[in-house]
Amino acid sequence: MSAIDLTEEELRKLLDGCIFGKESAWRSFFERYHSLITGSAYLLGHGKLDVDEISQNVYESLLKNHCEQLRTFRGKSDAEFTSFLYQITKHITWNRMKSKLKYDARFMSVPDIDALFSTKQEDLLAFSDSNGKAQILEAINRLEEDLRAILTLRLDGFKFREIAKSLDLPLGTVLSRVKKSRKILKNFSLDK
């Protein structure tokens, strides 16, 4: 993104040019905002998604229905438009992550997920040997950080009380997050 913010008039001129299909306006748009879109997609997708594909989807979204999204933008500053673009990129990235998680979950089995959340150590060991482990680990990597941290420690063999102590969280919070993680992973697994 350019270091100098556009004035309200310059921003409106750029967006109007894009809406009316001017190639020079789109070139300026791309030069100004492409790094914001790709950088946001990379960070939001934890580097695990195809950034170029997401960027393409953002541009397609902006062009859809004769640039309907650009037409709906009512902000007046470059900062507001940057936030607007970030929200579009976030929405597309998160939808892509959910789709990928659902696709990967087709290869997970419910017993594998149950073993991961069991309080019995032998069940956790059985999970370590399961065929679905790679897919479950990939799905775990896409969970929110607070959920992912607990499951990572669980996979390292920690008991739930030990996880609570090491993360300096109440046991109830850990168990609540475990329940939430289990529900997310099971829902994706059962959607196959």
Side-chain angles (χ1 to χ4, degrees):
M1 192 163 89
S2 177
I4 301 171
D5 282 351
L6 296 176
T7 64
E8 180 180 350
E9 184 179 317
E10 291 169 328
L11 178 62
R12 186 49 42 202
K13 183 178 177 184
L14 175 64
L15 297 181
D16 287 345
C18 291
I19 290 168
F20 292 111
K22 291 185 179 177
E23 186 178 330
S24 61
W26 277 109
R27 194 175 313 112
S28 294
F29 184 96
F30 185 84
E31 289 171 0
R32 184 167 189 80
Y33 298 109
H34 186 69
S35 62
L36 167 78
I37 293 168
T38 56
S40 298
Y42 180 81
L43 291 173
L44 290 165
H46 306 290
K48 298 187 183 306
L49 300 174
D50 185 351
V51 170
D52 292 331
E53 192 173 329
I54 291 171
S55 299
Q56 183 67 30
N57 290 351
V58 170
Y59 290 115
E60 288 170 358
S61 175
L62 292 171
L63 287 166
K64 187 176 168 185
N65 296 331
H66 305 289
C67 301
E68 182 179 348
Q69 285 191 323
L70 289 179
R71 290 175 196 272
T72 63
F73 175 70
R74 296 289 176 242
K76 296 183 182 203
S77 72
D78 199 33
E80 289 173 305
F81 187 69
T82 299
S83 177
F84 177 77
L85 273 180
Y86 175 80
Q87 292 301 319
I88 293 169
T89 305
K90 179 175 83 171
H91 176 74
I92 290 171
T93 303
W94 286 358
N95 282 341
R96 178 61 52 85
M97 286 178 67
K98 286 193 297 190
S99 295
K100 186 165 177 26
L101 190 56
K102 281 184 180 181
Y103 175 80
D104 289 347
R106 294 181 313 150
F107 305 103
M108 288 187 268
S109 69
V110 174
D112 290 339
I113 294 169
D114 286 338
L116 173 62
F117 294 104
S118 173
T119 56
K120 298 177 186 171
Q121 207 63 19
E122 59 269 13
D123 287 343
L124 188 57
L125 292 173
F127 168 77
S128 297
D129 297 331
S130 72
N131 293 334
K133 181 181 176 185
Q135 289 81 14
I136 293 173
L137 292 176
E138 184 65 26
I140 289 170
N141 281 331
R142 289 195 203 94
L143 291 173
E144 298 169 19
E145 188 174 339
D146 58 338
L147 304 178
R148 193 171 57 240
I150 291 170
L151 296 185
T152 301
L153 290 171
R154 180 68 181 140
L155 288 171
D156 287 340
F158 286 89
K159 295 179 180 172
F160 295 122
R161 286 190 190 284
E162 296 169 330
I163 293 170
K165 187 174 181 179
S166 68
L167 294 177
D168 196 29
L169 293 170
L171 179 60
T173 300
V174 169
L175 295 176
S176 173
R177 290 178 184 173
V178 165
K179 183 177 180 179
K180 181 178 179 182
S181 301
R182 182 180 193 165
K183 183 177 179 182
I184 291 169
L185 293 174
K186 273 195 169 188
N187 282 341
F188 285 127
S189 177
L190 294 174
D191 283 346
K192 41 179 160 169

